[in-house]
Amino acid sequence: MEEKIKKPYDASSTEPQILKKWDESGFFNPDVCIEKGVTSKDAPVFSMVLPPPNVTGTLHTGHALMLITQDIMTRYARMQGKRTLWLPGTDHAAIATQIKVEKELSKKGIKKSDLSREEFLKKIEDYALESHDTIVNQSKKMGASLDWSREAFTLDAQRNKAVNTVFKKMYDDGLIYRGHRIINWDPKGQTVISDDEIVYEERKAKLYTFKYSADFPIPISTTRPETKFGDTAVAVHPEDERYQEYVGKEYDTVFCGEPIHIKIIADREVEKDFGTGALGVTPAHSMIDWELAQRHDLPTKIVINEYAKMTVGGEKILGKKTEEAREAVVEWLRSQNLLLKEEEITQNVSTAERTGAIIEPLPKLQWFVDVNKKIPDRQNKNLKELMLEPIAQKKINIIPDRFEKVYFNWVQNLRDWCISRQIIYGHRIPVWYKKNTEEILVCPESTPNEEWEQDLDTLDTWFSSGLWTFSTLGWPDNTEDMRTYHPTTMLETAHDIIFFWVARMILFSQYVLEEIPFQNVYFHGIVRTKDGKKMSKSLGDQAIDPLDIIGKYGNDALRLAMIIGNTPGNDLKLNEDDIRGYAKFANKIWNASRFVLENTNDIDSSDLQKLKENLDTEDSASMQELEQLIQSITKEMDEYRFSLVAEKTYHYFWHTFADILIERSKKKIQENKNSDSAKALLYLQLHSLLKVLHPFTPFITEEVWSIINTKNGKHAEEDLLLVQKWPI
RNA sequence: GCGCGGUUAGCUCAGUUGGUAGAGCAACUCUUUUACACAGAGAAGGUCGUAGGUUCAAGUCCUACACCGCGCACCA
């Protein structure tokens, strides 16, 4: 008997030793498992990529939930003897990281404009590296059984090769194009963003009803009078009797000192009942108006610049911010008696996800992915169809399945994806332009000479993370890993990135490889506080830091608290009392194990089958009960019902194994009545229970296992619980 | 406006082919018995959001509605 088990279980001193054993064994790497004979080469494969955490700081509870859920899947697969790969990495997170660094610099009084592009980039890279190291260390401390030998970064050389290869292929297929279109401009971040990076915020606004001028016949309504300098038409519904006589006519008039030319058009998109039923069309500064202008071939007049400042108007307006200009215009309308009505309405304002700035729609030359173009090489399907197909055909199984509907809805409404960004951190767009000409080169074999300039923009960060299932396996090189592990078995991630990431991975894999990126998608929820608030750093003390928790209560307690009572797709409320409760369970495992070890010294445990055969009737029935439990939880593990399995196992261990079987054995041993059977039962039960508990509470089970092994003189790496076979 | 989720014990949540309501935590009573007081034993606690319907039988299926949360669209 080791001295250690006589003392109470201390997670904080035990866990580092366990981590070291696992690390030294190399068994997180499937190649090592094959080499050392714990996995057979032709075993079924389980592969999964880690959703790469952004290199923007430290791990939070959301990451912890992700690591824990995936580690359970991975450990279970490994114990089933599968060739198991869980592949780690980090995400450069382009805009998020750049903005974080900008903020850090501004705290030190340094402005982005004080630095050269190279200096600024260096600052970002330094920060990213530091964050990376923190995140990797923290992930390791959590016991995540990731194969670090295959670690990838979305912005490293191999991934850049993948990105450029895909870009070139899509360009050649006409799926990537450069176009002058109205886009979402973030005036604070000074970059374009995609539709998905917009967050709608409900705000109160004023709806103004007015005429451009006294001699203009139709009043219009708008919340943004300052944009009206850019109007080139007024649109009405074709069946609106009030305005029919005007349709087709054109007017030259003066609005707030600025000459404007307005054509009256009729379009079915116009709501008769909203405002005056007439819509001032501002093609350059409104998405809808841009589309109207396309349909009716209207000119575009830009009156707002990239800094959300006015480019036309008198002295109270020119060069002013839009809010200021709005007031000036309203003032002018009042003074001219043109303002007919002013009413409060609530409207959804588009803001930028990362900077919070109000989006300014602007026409700009940008790079896009065409989602509607038919692809000859793919049976003339477009990207949307390629994204819908595997879900519709159930080639990809989504858990919980209600997210299928959400996915369909999004794909069906998808517009072309704007992929260029005016930020410096990211994959540079692999396109060169010949100076003073129209010529361009896309992904040339070698860097062109000085007559050529590379595009200054970078790619949307989701372009590189969208390739993650195969770029991490070495694609575009022809690798053994690609052949073995792709399509991956499982993608486990948070449901809030279904569009950003899950959909894009399906897009790229379907298009590039003509295969699905993963067979299953499992969504976990968002971690919230007791009061239902999203767990984030801004909450201060209320936010739970996973690293603090594992220091205090141990990994095993945190894991149980995050798994029990948490079902896929649903949010999880986490509080410290629960974690403390599960730390007691770890102690229970420890104490029960101590009793078993102290009382089974004199039995021969080398032949488990023989032990089993010699059980008396009562103990044999108990063994059968456990076997039935294992049978049912194995089925439930295969259905990803981890909460149920953990709860059942917890309950069995405590209230059957400890409360009933151990108590019963005490009597038998004391009275020396069938005591061999009692001892055998304890040993056999503990042996199986440690295995089925291991995916959930890997640390304490590995520690108890190693004490049993020491007693039995087993010291080989192959004897680690980590690589034992799941009981059948 | 369209859609999704939630509403079950004080709290957090399970409850998969419809068949006498479950767990953890908290609170209560008793017990320091040699694995464990980070424990054991015991008791208590719910007309499963509301109203209908289907059925021999509904937390579970159907239809409305209410409240909470979320997504999408509109947003002149």
Side-chain angles (χ1 to χ4, degrees):
Chain A
M1 169 70 53
E2 255 199 15
E3 281 307 302
K4 177 157 186 195
I5 195 139
K6 294 184 178 164
K7 296 178 198 146
Y9 178 64
D10 176 28
S12 63
S13 66
T14 308
E15 290 186 353
Q17 297 170 31
I18 299 290
L19 287 171
K20 198 165 163 241
K21 281 187 197 172
W22 287 336
D23 184 40
E24 285 168 0
S25 76
F27 289 148
F28 295 171
N29 179 342
D31 303 334
V32 173
C33 288
I34 291 168
E35 245 168 64
K36 296 194 181 169
V38 298
T39 307
S40 76
K41 200 173 177 192
D42 50 7
V45 167
F46 176 89
S47 58
M48 172 166 69
V49 290
L50 176 76
N54 291 352
V55 285
T56 50
T58 54
L59 287 187
H60 56 248
T61 45
H63 293 123
L65 176 60
M66 167 181 92
L67 288 166
I68 290 167
T69 310
Q70 292 174 24
D71 193 51
I72 289 169
M73 294 175 174
T74 305
R75 284 178 191 268
Y76 174 60
R78 196 182 287 116
M79 290 180 83
Q80 283 180 308
K82 290 182 181 168
R83 188 165 170 179
T84 303
L85 172 65
W86 182 22
L87 199 156
T90 48
D91 194 330
H92 71 287
I95 193 161
T97 310
Q98 177 165 332
I99 284 167
K100 191 92 194 243
V101 173
E102 277 177 35
K103 279 184 188 160
E104 300 276 316
L105 287 175
S106 86
K107 274 185 206 160
K108 293 179 199 159
I110 304 169
K111 270 188 263 172
K112 186 168 77 170
S113 50
D114 297 340
L115 303 170
S116 68
R117 185 178 170 117
E118 287 68 31
E119 284 169 336
F120 186 37
L121 192 58
K122 179 76 171 56
K123 294 264 185 212
I124 300 170
E125 283 168 351
D126 288 349
Y127 176 82
L129 189 63
E130 199 187 309
S131 293
H132 162 270
D133 293 349
T134 307
I135 286 165
V136 169
N137 283 328
Q138 290 178 325
S139 304
K140 286 181 176 170
K141 274 190 192 148
M142 293 199 60
S145 56
L146 287 154
D147 179 7
W148 293 102
S149 74
R150 285 177 164 86
E151 191 192 344
F153 180 49
T154 54
L155 192 54
D156 61 21
Q158 182 65 31
R159 264 42 69 176
N160 184 248
K161 187 171 165 188
V163 162
N164 289 346
T165 308
V166 171
F167 190 100
K168 169 89 167 130
K169 180 176 168 59
M170 293 183 92
Y171 181 83
D172 291 344
D173 281 346
L175 294 172
I176 284 181
Y177 67 93
R178 197 180 195 210
H180 191 259
R181 300 254 306 267
I182 191 154
I183 47 78
N184 308 299
W185 181 260
D186 173 356
K188 204 166 169 186
Q190 285 295 303
T191 179
V192 54
I193 61 173
S194 67
D195 296 344
D196 301 290
E197 289 163 286
I198 289 172
V199 179
Y200 294 102
E201 271 181 33
E202 204 166 80
R203 288 189 193 174
K204 290 241 183 289
K206 277 202 176 135
L207 181 68
Y208 302 96
T209 301
F210 59 91
K211 287 189 192 175
Y212 294 115
S213 60
D215 56 358
F216 192 80
I218 305 173
I220 56 163
S221 299
T222 182
T223 52
R224 299 196 62 189
E226 78 280 10
T227 64
K228 300 289 105 181
F229 294 109
D231 283 15
T232 54
V234 163
V236 298
H237 195 274
E239 280 147 32
D240 194 330
E241 286 157 13
R242 294 172 289 181
Y243 305 122
Q244 268 175 3
E245 56 175 301
Y246 303 109
V247 173
K249 290 188 177 164
E250 301 196 22
Y251 296 86
D252 276 300
T253 188
V254 177
F255 172 67
C256 199
E258 197 70 23
I260 54 173
H261 181 85
I262 302 289
K263 185 179 178 185
I264 314 296
I265 58 167
D267 195 288
R268 301 202 159 266
E269 288 291 299
V270 180
E271 289 276 344
K272 280 195 280 188
D273 301 329
F274 192 96
T276 61
L279 163 65
V281 183
T282 324
H285 302 293
S286 156
M287 300 286 171
I288 299 290
D289 294 5
W290 173 268
E291 282 165 22
L292 272 170
Q294 298 289 104
R295 278 202 292 277
H296 296 273
D297 200 22
L298 300 171
T300 301
K301 189 177 163 196
I302 295 173
V303 296
I304 298 168
N305 68 13
E306 287 86 349
Y307 300 96
K309 288 181 177 165
M310 304 301 296
T311 59
V312 297
E315 61 169 325
K316 284 185 181 163
I317 291 166
L318 181 67
K320 296 284 191 289
K321 291 220 162 177
T322 49
E323 290 87 358
E324 253 178 277
R326 186 174 312 154
E327 281 172 35
V329 172
V330 171
E331 197 57 37
W332 175 84
L333 287 168
R334 274 201 198 101
S335 71
Q336 301 295 308
N337 267 332
L338 291 168
L339 188 60
L340 307 174
K341 206 157 74 177
E342 228 178 291
E343 50 197 314
E344 281 247 313
I345 59 162
T346 49
Q347 63 165 10
N348 282 329
V349 176
S350 310
T351 63
E353 186 200 19
R354 295 294 173 185
T355 65
I358 293 176
I359 293 302
E360 197 61 62
L362 285 178
K364 282 201 165 287
L365 188 60
Q366 297 292 334
W367 288 94
F368 296 88
V369 169
D370 189 332
V371 294
N372 294 305
K373 188 183 164 74
K374 290 182 193 304
I375 310 163
D377 280 0
R378 300 290 177 268
Q379 299 95 48
N380 271 328
K381 287 171 189 149
N382 61 31
L383 289 175
K384 275 187 183 180
E385 289 165 322
L386 290 179
M387 289 165 93
L388 290 173
E389 222 174 54
I391 311 292
Q393 296 175 356
K394 304 277 175 198
K395 283 186 194 161
I396 298 177
N397 171 38
I398 296 185
I399 307 155
D401 57 11
R402 62 186 148 93
F403 283 102
E404 284 182 11
K405 247 184 169 171
V406 181
Y407 178 86
F408 275 120
N409 189 279
W410 181 80
V411 176
Q412 277 154 1
N413 293 318
L414 192 60
R415 298 192 297 174
D416 285 0
W417 172 22
C418 180
I419 51 169
S420 43
R421 296 289 181 276
Q422 290 68 54
I423 59 173
I424 65 168
Y425 191 51
H427 292 276
R428 189 98 173 252
I429 291 188
V431 175
W432 276 259
Y433 308 96
K434 192 168 188 182
K435 290 175 191 168
N436 308 319
T437 72
E438 299 277 296
E439 281 181 71
I440 74 166
L441 279 175
V442 177
C443 293
E445 298 279 312
S446 56
T447 310
N449 64 32
E450 282 169 10
E451 285 175 41
W452 297 81
E453 275 177 337
Q454 188 174 4
D455 199 303
L456 278 174
D457 290 352
T458 51
L459 286 167
D460 182 1
T461 187
W462 298 102
F463 194 99
S464 52
S465 31
L467 314 177
W468 196 239
T469 62
F470 51 95
S471 68
T472 52
L473 295 172
W475 188 90
D477 300 337
N478 182 8
T479 65
E480 176 74 33
D481 273 4
M482 255 321 266
R483 289 189 294 274
T484 308
Y485 298 109
H486 205 274
T488 59
T489 315
M490 170 61 74
L491 180 83
E492 199 283 341
T493 191
H495 63 71
D496 57 355
I497 53 172
I498 181 168
F499 308 137
F500 282 128
W501 195 44
V502 179
R504 265 73 179 259
M505 282 193 285
I506 296 174
L507 181 158
F508 283 123
S509 185
Q510 284 279 96
Y511 164 66
V512 176
L513 305 173
E514 291 184 81
E515 67 182 25
I516 53 174
F518 29 69
Q519 292 151 4
N520 299 282
V521 181
Y522 178 108
F523 286 115
H524 61 249
I526 293 162
V527 183
R528 297 181 183 280
T529 64
K530 226 171 18 180
D531 318 315
K533 287 182 197 143
K534 192 170 173 178
M535 197 84 75
S536 71
K537 273 180 214 144
S538 58
L539 289 173
D541 291 347
Q542 271 196 68
I544 290 177
D545 177 349
L547 275 301
D548 276 358
I549 290 293
I550 63 173
K552 241 163 136 180
Y553 304 106
N555 266 296
D556 297 327
L558 177 64
R559 291 168 76 108
L560 289 172
M562 283 197 143
I563 291 303
I564 294 180
N566 181 16
T567 43
N570 292 332
D571 293 353
L572 167 74
K573 285 182 187 166
L574 186 69
N575 74 81
E576 207 169 324
D577 287 344
D578 286 348
I579 302 165
R580 194 180 299 119
Y582 290 114
K584 291 182 185 176
F585 179 59
N587 192 52
K588 191 74 185 177
I589 297 177
W590 190 250
N591 288 320
S593 301
R594 179 195 302 154
F595 180 84
V596 173
L597 286 168
E598 281 175 348
N599 285 281
T600 54
N601 271 322
D602 54 344
I603 63 165
D604 175 13
S605 55
S606 60
D607 188 345
L608 298 181
Q609 192 53 38
K610 205 171 145 196
L611 280 182
K612 210 164 140 186
E613 281 161 13
N614 292 334
L615 292 175
D616 66 21
T617 322
E618 184 181 50
D619 291 337
S620 189
S622 295
M623 209 55 216
Q624 268 173 29
E625 195 190 333
L626 175 63
E627 278 159 8
Q628 265 167 25
L629 173 80
I630 292 173
Q631 203 180 350
S632 77
I633 62 173
T634 302
K635 184 169 168 276
E636 284 149 3
M637 284 301 279
D638 293 334
E639 292 164 355
Y640 314 106
R641 306 181 55 173
F642 305 123
S643 170
L644 193 65
V645 174
E647 193 184 321
K648 275 188 177 178
T649 315
Y650 172 104
H651 204 250
Y652 181 88
F653 191 98
W654 202 311
H655 299 298
T656 299
F657 178 62
D659 290 353
I660 299 173
L661 302 185
I662 288 185
E663 292 308 316
R664 192 171 81 198
S665 76
K666 282 182 191 169
K667 256 190 203 162
K668 283 190 176 178
I669 293 167
Q670 249 169 22
E671 295 168 10
N672 206 12
K673 224 162 82 188
N674 286 355
S675 69
D676 281 351
S677 169
K679 290 174 183 176
L681 178 73
L682 293 180
Y683 190 89
L684 288 167
Q685 291 249 336
L686 181 64
H687 200 265
S688 290
L689 283 168
L690 288 174
K691 287 182 180 176
V692 294
L693 279 167
H694 184 257
F696 300 95
T697 56
F699 289 90
I700 187 154
T701 51
E702 187 72 81
E703 180 64 9
V704 172
W705 190 263
S706 87
I707 293 168
I708 296 175
N709 276 346
T710 305
K711 194 184 127 193
N712 292 339
K714 290 183 178 175
H715 296 287
E717 282 171 341
E718 293 78 32
D719 295 321
L720 283 171
L721 183 54
L722 176 71
V723 290
Q724 298 310 302
K725 294 292 169 284
W726 184 264
I728 303 158

